[in-house]
Amino acid sequence: MYELYEFDWSSIPGALPFLWQGMVVSLEITFVAVVFGIVWGTALAIMRLSSVTPLSWFAAGYVNLFRSVPLVMVLLWFFLIIPHLLESLLGFPRGTDMRLGSAIAGFALFEAAYYSEIIRAGIQSVPKGQMAAANALGMNYRQAMQRVVLPQAFRNMVPLLLTQGIILFQDTSLVYVSALADFFGAAYKVGDRDGRLVEMLLFAGAVYFVICFAASQWVRHFQKKLKTA
Amino acid sequence: AEDTLKKIKETGTITLGHRESSIPFSYYDDKQQVIGYSHELMLKAVDAIKAELKLAKLDIKLMPVTSSNRITLIQNGSIDLECGSTTNNTERQKQVGFSTTMFIIGTRLMTKKDSGIKDFPDLAGKNVVTTAGTTSERLLRKMNEDKKMGMSIISAKDHGESFLTLETGRAVGFMMDDALLYGEMAKAKRAGDWAVVGAPQSYEAYGCMMRKDDPAFKKVVDDALTRAMTSGEVNKIYDKWFMQPIPPKGLNLDFPLSDAMKALYKSPNDKAYE
Amino acid sequence: MGYNWNWGVFLQPSATGGDTYLGWMFYGFKMTIALSLSAWMLALATGAVVGVLRTVPNKGLSGIARAYVELFRNIPLLVQLFLWYFVLPELLPTSLGNAYKQSNPLAQQFLASMVCLGLFTSARVAEQVRSGINSLPPGQKNAGLAMGFTLPQTYRFVMLPMAVRLIVPPLTSEFLNIFKNSAVCSTIGLLELAAQGRQLVDYTAQPYESFIAVTLAYLIINVVVMFSMRWVEERVRVPGYLGGK
Amino acid sequence: MISIDNVSKHYGSFQVLADCTTQVSKGEVIVVCGPSGSGKSTLIKCVNGLEPFQKGEITVNGVSVGDPKTNLSKLRSHVGMVFQNFELFPHMSIIDNLRIAQLKVLGRGMDEATEKGFKLLDRVGLRVQAEKYPGQLSGGQQQRVAIARALAMDPICMLFDEPTSALDPEMVNEVLDVMTELAKEGMTMMCVTHEMGFARRVANRVIFMDQGRIVEDDSKDAFFEHARSERAQQFLAKILHH
Amino acid sequence: MISIDNVSKHYGSFQVLADCTTQVSKGEVIVVCGPSGSGKSTLIKCVNGLEPFQKGEITVNGVSVGDPKTNLSKLRSHVGMVFQNFELFPHMSIIDNLRIAQLKVLGRGMDEATEKGFKLLDRVGLRVQAEKYPGQLSGGQQQRVAIARALAMDPICMLFDEPTSALDPEMVNEVLDVMTELAKEGMTMMCVTHEMGFARRVANRVIFMDQGRIVEDDSKDAFFEHARSERAQQFLAKILHH
Ligand SMILES: Nc1ncnc2c1ncn2[C@@H]1O[C@H](COP(=O)(O)OP(=O)(O)OP(=O)(O)O)[C@@H](O)[C@H]1O
Ligand SMILES: Nc1ncnc2c1ncn2[C@@H]1O[C@H](COP(=O)(O)OP(=O)(O)OP(=O)(O)O)[C@@H](O)[C@H]1O
Ligand SMILES: [Mg+2]
Ligand SMILES: [Mg+2]
């Protein structure tokens, strides 16, 4: 006869510093990937919408490739291939610990594909007449894009971009494939080491929920403010 | 082939692969420091490399590896040497090189003491867990086919998960390398509930993993390991990890030196069992 | 780089006898398909109900639906999977839990994976359904009610048929996601495509061949799903309605 | 037929309707006009219960709309309504648009519903379009279908909410013509519209609303010749001037 | 000032403009009308190069619009354009809407641009709204701002594309009044509009388009009294009747 599972939360307090380190890794990846993803994603979106065919094909191919493959696979590929590339391209000494670097690169390039779709939709959500009006005032394409279309597009997109950021934060848990200790990895390792997996998983789930829920509430609030402004 | 020694000399750095929870071979203690039997032997090898290259200073970088990425990481040069709980077998020898054997295990079974399961035949028709990608998994599946035992085999992602499967009653037995089974026991909630039973189904040799066809490097590592074993130094290390209380819980594995190990320490070699 | 390419590895008999490694990959491929499709059914059914509830005037119902969506959206899939597989059976009454845990492990893994993926995705589907309904012209609901339809009839005959058409494109990407997300289920030991790929690495030590094969398999799934969803889109397109949008 | 008695409605602190009172007798045609945001649409939606209201009472054919015990669906099936943006069901063919509520609400048989549908399409001159979809018709045609769809339910009265204001100017008349004919046949109608030509030709009474109040409620002639309130005079001046 | 010579344009096989020819002299006001889809918007957008065309030539003040060597941005900065949906920049305050192109296109200084902006807001009666955002104004007010924005560039001529058709009926006149005044001051104007009252009062000539062709191009009086083509007569009958 087995008994009901006995919970034992005692390994959490001692592990907090290590868990915090993991959280820092998660946040670091999220932050860099969001920033880089938005910049590169914007470039991809503009390429995709441009009338220069090779550019728009390149962007479409890039986006479709990255969106077809599971993130786990992308991270694995990056973990195994990027170190090589960087070594040969940039002359890094072999054996540099590039787990964080390659994870960030993998996330950033992967997320850029998703961001570019959001941004493309954002640009297309600006009424066509706005571009026409800017042109009619004598602005050229660059001026119209920069002063008129993109500011509105970004304003429309902010909630979606933030939501994607929250998803990205959740997905950082997948870096376990490279044995990198992000928050989830740290919780898992502590649980494994102490034989307290169930407790640590529940704890990790609760922490993620609190953070992501709070963040998505904030996005909603922000969205409402944008609407009324 | 690569010249790892040259690379180490040029960069003044060596990158070591280690495991995160292969108790007591290579794992983190509660301060996130890598410790363990294999790890200490690896450090011996590093000392030998440093001496061989006459380096005043050698930077050591540690990189945790998993059972699925360790081979690739050796091959692509991310790590130079990995000493954990990696079995030396002929398939792997096609991709990587192995040092002198540093440990020999038997694959056995962990069960709950009061479960009435004493050996492998008792498992017929039951749920049994093992860790994915290990030799035990192969043996278990083969045994199941050959003897038509009707077991349901669960392949868990890592040893921790395997033990959780056993602990929560999903499986009645956990087949794995005996030393690792004792290691898992060391972190269990109630270590006294569990027992390692059954006749060993195979013996396996753990070796340190390095790139293939790099005889100079292999020689330095092999010599260091051989020296530790024949000089009797290794007995102290063995004692420390298998006969005395170890972190994280201060449990004693109580795993006396087997005959196979005694023979190994007398005449070290790098042969794979099989 | 000192790597021995060996594509013949797929035709070798596997280490446990019986099958070839290609056979393993195919088993994983079938598992991924079976898992994803059954989870997708669950996600569509649950997501549609929850999504509709989110838009009803009744505050209690829409509140429950919203809580459901928030719960499943704000915990990483990986964590949810562990919770379903390892934690939930522990919370069942002892005898029931034990009976469950002693049952066929493959069935347990599949069930946990399917429920987890299905409910995780259902929260996203629910959001799409909600936004589809909300993006209908507000007059449509009034028009339905004004004809004398009851509220459920208005949903059934007026709003849902159009909302469903509107959300086919965004649902395509959720559908693709479910295949990709199923890769996470290898962490509880389910031998789907990604897991078989990793097994192959463990058994044959030929990582690159295995990764390339797995990546290709996902690309194929992706292309098939995209084309079939485009076919669906084409089929449900309303004549005279701009680009189906 | 329709009696609106002291009806008030607010969104939070914003008053949309303030003590509105008026009656529509059988066969009467009432035009409701007034500046944007004055509450015209809200008032007309209150009549068939599409908008709830907080105070007062509305009865249609003796049935109280605000009463929670009233079967609103049943009531609405007798009251035809035509919207500014037509609101045809875009995923159904024209004839299906006309049939669906007959089948599902009135419980008519397929044959009867189809016959009725074709008869009404004939009447608005669109029989040949029966198998097309709404998106394939012009705005004027869509609005005529919408009127036919409402008539298919054999309504006892019809409500119109700016039925021509989303139309290209060329198409306004084809819709107004259908409405005029309907009025001549004795249908009770309440129309929100700015088409003063239509009001002059067809209406019995004109109601002018401003800021949620019914400011004028007069016979057509009285309204056009000597609207009493200054607001209505200004409004008429603006509307009629160009 | 504007000369349109034998211009044709098609999307794929669909002909939007067919051999359109007309001239607008300095100070003239031309009204363009015609049924929906007849190519009015397209024609007017061709004039400042917002739409490319495949055949023929358009010159504005002697500069050829179709010539690839022409600096279109520069040309457009001299041609004011007002759109049906105003197209103010919603993320900028009213005064910023008036300043942005002065600063970035004409390279004026901040002070000069601001002064000019306020002067024009005065002129359309909206100085007090300078710091508001477009979303906070009524449709009529927004369209007046849009006119002021175009005027801030000191255009040599103005193009209007149905400037009043998205407005509530009450607000139509406040925009037409501004346009009328502009015409009186001698601005060269090309207006697509269905406001026949405005055409009667202000236009010098009326152009009637149908299916991409200029069917009538007449003095105002000739057009209203005896339009030659049957299509134009029908159109006028429909538009003016109600
Ligand atoms: N859901 C709502 N919440 C808050 N205010 C509303 C809501 N719906 C309408 N209103 C406000 O109620 C007022 C009356 O609206 P209504 O649509 O009845 O005006 P209307 O006379 O029909 O105007 P229009 O001519 O523009 O159609 C408006 O000021 C509007 O802003
Ligand atoms: N990008 C496009 N591709 C294909 N056809 C187009 C495109 N833009 C416009 N058209 C077609 O060109 C024709 C003329 O359009 P245009 O907008 O100039 O008409 P209009 O006279 O301004 O009509 P309205 O009164 O509705 O504004 C229409 O039939 C329209 O469908
Ligand atoms: Mg209204
Ligand atoms: Mg137009």
Side-chain angles (χ1 to χ4, degrees):
Chain A
M1 199 66 216
Y2 294 97
E3 328 231 312
L4 200 67
Y5 195 88
E6 313 160 30
F7 288 100
D8 171 0
W9 306 95
S10 60
S11 57
I12 293 177
L16 284 179
F18 182 55
L19 291 174
W20 172 245
Q21 280 173 23
M23 184 55 82
V24 170
V25 171
S26 291
L27 293 174
E28 215 166 68
I29 297 178
T30 308
F31 179 77
V32 179
V34 165
V35 171
F36 182 84
I38 288 178
V39 173
W40 178 221
T42 308
L44 282 170
I46 290 178
M47 281 191 238
R48 181 108 195 237
L49 293 172
S50 98
S51 49
V52 185
T53 326
L55 281 184
S56 77
W57 282 20
F58 165 77
Y62 179 98
V63 170
N64 285 331
L65 178 69
F66 272 99
R67 282 163 55 101
S68 318
V69 186
L71 178 56
V72 185
M73 295 294 298
V74 173
L75 291 177
L76 266 178
W77 272 109
F78 268 81
F79 183 45
L80 299 172
I81 291 171
I82 280 283
H84 264 316
L85 272 182
L86 291 186
E87 272 161 21
S88 47
L89 292 182
L90 304 177
F92 274 133
R94 286 206 128 183
T96 316
D97 183 356
M98 267 177 292
R99 287 174 305 148
L100 186 60
S102 66
I104 288 178
F107 266 106
L109 294 177
F110 182 83
E111 292 297 329
Y114 284 80
Y115 278 120
S116 93
E117 288 296 279
I118 295 176
I119 292 166
R120 182 166 70 112
I123 292 176
Q124 285 173 331
S125 77
V126 178
K128 273 210 152 102
Q130 288 283 310
M131 182 57 121
N135 284 334
L137 283 170
M139 296 189 202
N140 57 33
Y141 180 80
R142 201 185 52 76
Q143 285 174 324
M145 211 62 186
Q146 183 192 338
R147 308 264 167 204
V148 176
V149 177
L150 283 182
Q152 293 182 58
F154 271 102
R155 181 187 266 244
N156 295 343
M157 287 171 331
V158 164
L160 273 179
L161 291 176
L162 290 173
T163 305
Q164 182 67 24
I166 297 174
I167 295 175
L168 173 56
F169 174 68
Q170 292 184 20
D171 282 348
T172 53
S173 57
L174 296 179
V175 297
Y176 80 100
V177 293
S178 57
L180 187 63
D182 74 312
F183 177 68
F184 178 74
Y188 189 90
K189 282 168 189 175
V190 171
D192 186 13
R193 183 195 69 204
D194 297 351
R196 294 286 171 273
L197 261 184
V198 169
E199 289 85 346
M200 291 310 293
L201 290 174
L202 279 171
F203 176 68
V207 171
Y208 274 111
F209 180 78
V210 169
I211 293 178
C212 296
F213 182 69
S216 62
Q217 285 313 100
W218 179 76
V219 171
R220 271 167 67 102
H221 174 77
F222 187 72
Q223 201 170 2
K224 273 200 195 123
K225 251 175 62 181
L226 268 187
K227 257 191 202 139
T228 51
Chain B
E2 298 243 4
D3 190 342
T4 308
L5 285 176
K6 191 166 146 232
K7 177 190 149 192
I8 294 171
K9 187 166 176 93
E10 277 167 8
T11 57
T13 312
I14 184 168
T15 310
L16 304 174
H18 67 87
R19 301 299 297 267
E20 293 178 302
S21 67
S22 279
I23 302 175
F25 295 99
S26 176
Y27 66 106
Y28 284 132
D29 66 8
D30 46 12
K31 294 179 193 65
Q32 302 303 314
Q33 299 298 313
V34 189
I35 53 173
Y37 171 85
S38 303
H39 195 69
E40 283 197 19
L41 287 177
M42 178 153 66
L43 294 180
K44 294 259 175 268
V46 172
D47 287 340
I49 293 167
K50 191 172 163 191
E52 169 80 19
L53 295 173
K54 305 197 179 55
L55 290 171
K57 190 172 152 287
L58 177 59
D59 276 341
I60 298 177
K61 286 197 182 145
L62 288 172
M63 183 185 289
V65 301
T66 67
S67 40
S68 10
N69 67 25
R70 56 192 166 181
I71 291 180
T72 321
L73 291 174
I74 284 282
Q75 285 176 327
N76 75 14
S78 297
I79 55 179
D80 300 314
L81 185 65
E82 189 258 9
C83 302
S85 49
T86 306
T87 299
N88 173 3
N89 63 33
T90 42
E91 256 161 53
R92 287 180 179 156
Q93 281 171 16
K94 286 181 207 151
Q95 298 288 345
V96 291
F98 283 95
S99 72
T100 294
T101 301
M102 50 180 187
F103 203 89
I104 295 170
I105 53 87
T107 42
R108 299 179 69 198
L109 199 58
M110 172 149 67
T111 59
K112 201 158 203 211
K113 269 186 182 152
D114 58 9
S115 68
I117 289 174
K118 294 289 166 234
D119 204 348
F120 286 92
D122 301 334
L123 293 175
K126 301 260 170 47
N127 291 353
V128 188
V129 65
T130 179
T131 305
T134 58
T135 331
S136 298
E137 189 191 18
R138 281 182 235 199
L139 294 169
L140 195 60
R141 288 191 190 279
K142 217 161 159 51
M143 183 194 307
N144 202 22
E145 298 247 315
D146 295 350
K147 302 195 180 146
K148 303 270 171 290
M149 291 172 68
M151 293 183 283
S152 296
I153 297 168
I154 305 172
S155 298
K157 179 167 71 63
D158 52 39
H159 305 322
E161 221 175 278
S162 296
F163 183 67
L164 186 65
T165 306
L166 177 72
E167 195 181 30
T168 56
R170 267 208 163 85
V172 297
F174 170 17
M175 177 173 177
M176 191 34 58
D177 304 356
D178 50 9
L180 289 175
L181 289 179
Y182 282 100
E184 285 302 316
M185 226 185 324
K187 27 182 231 199
K189 280 204 187 84
R190 272 194 299 258
D193 286 2
W194 308 100
V196 174
V197 299
Q201 294 299 301
S202 72
Y203 291 94
E204 290 186 18
Y206 285 176
C208 288
M209 198 163 49
M210 61 194 80
R211 267 176 296 282
K212 223 167 83 136
D213 303 329
D214 189 352
F217 184 61
K218 176 169 160 58
K219 182 165 185 311
V220 181
V221 176
D222 280 353
D223 287 351
L225 294 179
T226 309
R227 210 177 308 126
M229 289 183 207
T230 48
S231 69
E233 200 180 350
V234 76
N235 289 308
K236 262 189 277 159
I237 303 179
Y238 185 94
D239 221 49
K240 173 172 168 195
W241 293 104
F242 291 91
M243 303 300 287
Q244 285 170 25
I246 55 165
K249 294 230 174 116
L251 201 88
N252 188 343
L253 298 193
D254 233 343
F255 185 70
L257 202 59
S258 66
D259 293 340
M261 287 291 292
K262 281 179 194 151
L264 174 72
Y265 285 169
K266 271 212 193 80
S267 55
N269 63 74
D270 66 354
K271 280 200 270 306
Y273 271 81
E274 269 173 311
Chain C
M1 64 196 218
Y3 184 79
N4 294 327
W5 289 95
N6 176 17
W7 288 99
V9 69
F10 290 109
L11 298 177
Q12 287 169 12
S14 72
T16 52
D19 216 344
T20 59
Y21 286 116
L22 188 64
W24 279 22
M25 296 289 289
F26 191 61
Y27 175 87
F29 186 75
K30 284 190 296 191
M31 188 62 87
T32 291
I33 304 272
L35 172 62
S36 306
L37 288 183
S38 51
W40 181 239
M41 297 297 153
L42 179 65
L44 277 186
T46 323
V49 173
V50 176
V52 167
L53 287 184
R54 281 212 68 177
T55 64
V56 298
N58 183 315
K59 284 250 160 51
L61 285 178
S62 66
I64 291 172
R66 165 137 191 259
Y68 176 95
V69 170
E70 296 295 354
L71 182 66
F72 284 98
R73 267 209 317 197
N74 287 315
I75 301 178
L77 177 61
L78 187 61
V79 180
Q80 290 191 29
L81 185 63
F82 280 108
L83 296 180
W84 279 109
Y85 185 66
F86 281 121
V87 180
L88 204 72
E90 303 305 325
L91 308 178
L92 292 174
T94 315
S95 54
L96 191 66
N98 283 336
Y100 173 72
K101 286 186 287 191
Q102 297 297 312
S103 66
N104 184 328
L106 176 62
Q108 291 179 43
Q109 289 162 353
F110 193 88
L111 188 68
S113 302
M114 184 188 87
V115 171
C116 173
L117 262 186
L119 297 191
F120 176 81
T121 310
S122 77
R124 284 146 207 269
V125 171
E127 282 302 276
Q128 303 288 5
V129 169
R130 178 177 76 105
S131 78
I133 292 174
N134 286 343
S135 68
L136 296 175
Q140 288 276 306
K141 181 177 168 190
N142 279 337
L145 292 174
M147 304 287 299
F149 287 130
T150 58
L151 188 65
Q153 277 182 319
T154 307
Y155 271 96
R156 161 77 185 76
F157 296 120
V158 178
M159 293 159 73
L160 285 180
M162 263 332 269
V164 164
R165 287 171 164 87
L166 288 179
I167 62 175
V168 170
L171 278 188
T172 304
S173 67
E174 289 308 329
F175 195 15
L176 290 173
N177 280 342
I178 215 167
F179 283 97
K180 289 183 270 170
N181 286 336
S182 70
V184 170
C185 297
S186 59
T187 48
I188 58 164
L190 188 75
L191 294 177
E192 45 66 69
L193 190 51
Q196 293 292 44
R198 270 206 291 277
Q199 285 238 74
L200 222 69
V201 181
D202 290 338
Y203 280 68
T204 67
Q206 300 285 153
Y208 288 92
E209 289 86 341
S210 150
F211 283 153
I212 289 173
V214 171
T215 305
L216 278 179
Y218 279 112
L219 277 174
I220 291 171
I221 291 178
N222 215 59
V223 169
V224 171
V225 169
M226 288 228 284
F227 274 97
S228 44
M229 287 302 272
R230 205 162 289 167
W231 178 80
V232 170
E233 212 176 312
E234 211 57 56
R235 280 287 303 260
V236 301
R237 171 162 297 165
V238 174
Y241 215 66
L242 281 176
K245 279 186 197 163
Chain D
M1 170 74 63
I2 302 173
S3 120
I4 299 173
D5 192 13
N6 242 314
V7 169
S8 294
K9 173 183 173 71
H10 31 84
Y11 290 112
S13 66
F14 178 71
Q15 182 118 20
V16 202
L17 295 179
D19 294 323
C20 295
T21 303
T22 191
Q23 274 77 34
V24 187
S25 334
K26 194 159 160 45
E28 241 186 340
V29 176
I30 308 284
V31 161
V32 182
C33 63
S36 176
S38 56
K40 309 179 295 291
S41 301
T42 309
L43 180 68
I44 210 163
K45 282 188 198 148
C46 286
V47 171
N48 67 351
L50 283 178
E51 292 274 0
F53 48 92
Q54 283 94 13
K55 237 191 69 195
E57 200 182 10
I58 298 182
T59 59
V60 176
N61 218 10
V63 181
S64 165
V65 176
D67 187 340
K69 286 192 292 290
T70 301
N71 181 342
L72 273 181
S73 299
K74 187 154 171 242
L75 175 92
R76 287 176 188 143
S77 69
H78 301 314
V79 177
M81 181 148 191
V82 176
F83 299 84
Q84 177 171 12
N85 293 309
F86 334 137
E87 307 298 353
L88 294 181
F89 306 138
H91 57 292
M92 295 179 193
S93 67
I94 298 303
I95 184 70
D96 279 337
N97 263 280
L98 268 75
R99 276 192 297 225
I100 178 89
Q102 293 189 62
L103 299 174
K104 303 293 172 188
V105 177
L106 300 184
R108 286 183 184 153
M110 188 65 174
D111 291 344
E112 188 187 352
T114 309
E115 197 186 327
K116 179 109 199 166
F118 276 114
K119 223 170 72 191
L120 284 163
L121 281 181
D122 254 345
R123 179 162 164 191
V124 298
L126 292 169
R127 186 178 196 129
V128 290
Q129 318 276 14
E131 296 304 331
K132 287 204 178 152
Y133 282 78
Q136 297 171 306
L137 302 190
S138 75
Q141 292 173 325
Q142 287 192 51
Q143 195 61 297
R144 279 145 63 199
V145 172
I147 295 175
R149 180 176 69 174
L151 293 176
M153 306 294 286
D154 294 320
I156 51 173
C157 64
M158 292 278 288
L159 308 176
F160 293 83
D161 189 3
E162 308 206 27
T164 60
S165 63
L167 297 177
D168 281 321
E170 280 191 287
M171 295 164 181
V172 169
N173 278 320
E174 66 190 51
V175 172
L176 289 181
D177 289 346
V178 171
M179 289 169 62
T180 306
E181 216 174 294
L182 209 57
K184 282 199 191 128
E185 287 166 19
M187 177 63 79
T188 312
M189 289 162 62
M190 206 170 157
C191 314
V192 176
T193 182
H194 289 128
E195 296 295 339
M196 289 300 135
F198 173 78
R200 259 194 240 267
R201 269 180 289 128
V202 179
N204 299 100
R205 267 172 32 231
V206 177
I207 289 177
F208 177 77
M209 293 187 69
D210 189 28
Q211 296 181 7
R213 305 191 169 273
I214 295 186
V215 181
E216 306 257 344
D217 183 350
D218 264 335
S219 77
K220 167 178 67 180
D221 298 331
F223 181 75
F224 284 111
E225 258 113 78
H226 35 79
R228 275 163 304 192
S229 68
E230 199 182 328
R231 191 72 189 81
Q233 283 168 6
Q234 278 175 5
F235 179 79
L236 275 177
K238 283 196 175 174
I239 286 256
L240 296 176
H241 170 240
H242 58 94
Chain E
M1 168 76 60
I2 302 173
S3 118
I4 299 173
D5 193 14
N6 241 313
V7 168
S8 293
K9 172 183 174 73
H10 30 84
Y11 291 112
S13 67
F14 178 71
Q15 181 119 19
V16 204
L17 295 179
D19 294 324
C20 295
T21 303
T22 191
Q23 275 76 33
V24 187
S25 335
K26 194 161 156 48
E28 240 186 341
V29 176
I30 308 283
V31 162
V32 182
C33 63
S36 178
S38 57
K40 307 178 298 289
S41 301
T42 308
L43 181 68
I44 210 163
K45 282 188 195 147
C46 285
V47 170
N48 67 351
L50 282 178
E51 293 271 0
F53 48 92
Q54 283 93 15
K55 237 192 70 196
E57 200 183 9
I58 298 181
T59 60
V60 176
N61 219 10
V63 181
S64 164
V65 177
D67 187 340
K69 287 193 291 290
T70 301
N71 181 341
L72 271 182
S73 297
K74 187 153 169 241
L75 175 92
R76 287 178 190 141
S77 69
H78 301 314
V79 177
M81 180 147 191
V82 176
F83 299 84
Q84 177 171 10
N85 293 311
F86 333 136
E87 306 297 354
L88 294 181
F89 304 138
H91 58 298
M92 296 178 192
S93 67
I94 298 304
I95 184 71
D96 279 335
N97 263 280
L98 269 74
R99 277 192 297 226
I100 178 87
Q102 294 189 61
L103 300 174
K104 301 294 166 191
V105 177
L106 301 184
R108 286 184 185 154
M110 189 65 175
D111 290 345
E112 190 187 351
T114 309
E115 197 186 326
K116 180 106 197 167
F118 275 115
K119 224 169 73 192
L120 284 162
L121 282 182
D122 253 345
R123 181 160 163 190
V124 298
L126 292 169
R127 186 177 198 130
V128 291
Q129 319 276 14
E131 297 302 332
K132 288 202 179 154
Y133 281 79
Q136 298 170 303
L137 302 190
S138 76
Q141 292 174 324
Q142 287 191 53
Q143 194 61 297
R144 278 145 65 200
V145 173
I147 296 175
R149 181 176 69 175
L151 293 176
M153 306 294 286
D154 293 321
I156 53 175
C157 64
M158 292 278 290
L159 310 174
F160 293 84
D161 188 3
E162 307 207 26
T164 59
S165 63
L167 297 178
D168 281 321
E170 280 192 287
M171 293 163 183
V172 169
N173 277 320
E174 67 190 49
V175 172
L176 289 181
D177 289 347
V178 172
M179 289 170 62
T180 306
E181 216 174 293
L182 208 57
K184 282 198 191 130
E185 287 165 17
M187 176 63 77
T188 312
M189 289 163 61
M190 208 172 155
C191 315
V192 176
T193 181
H194 289 128
E195 295 296 338
M196 289 301 136
F198 173 78
R200 259 193 238 268
R201 269 180 288 128
V202 180
N204 299 101
R205 267 172 34 231
V206 177
I207 289 177
F208 177 77
M209 294 187 69
D210 189 27
Q211 295 181 8
R213 303 190 170 273
I214 294 186
V215 181
E216 306 257 344
D217 183 349
D218 264 335
S219 78
K220 168 177 68 179
D221 297 332
F223 181 76
F224 283 112
E225 259 112 76
H226 36 78
R228 277 165 303 195
S229 69
E230 198 181 327
R231 189 73 187 80
Q233 282 166 10
Q234 278 175 5
F235 179 79
L236 275 177
K238 283 195 175 173
I239 284 256
L240 295 175
H241 169 238
H242 59 93

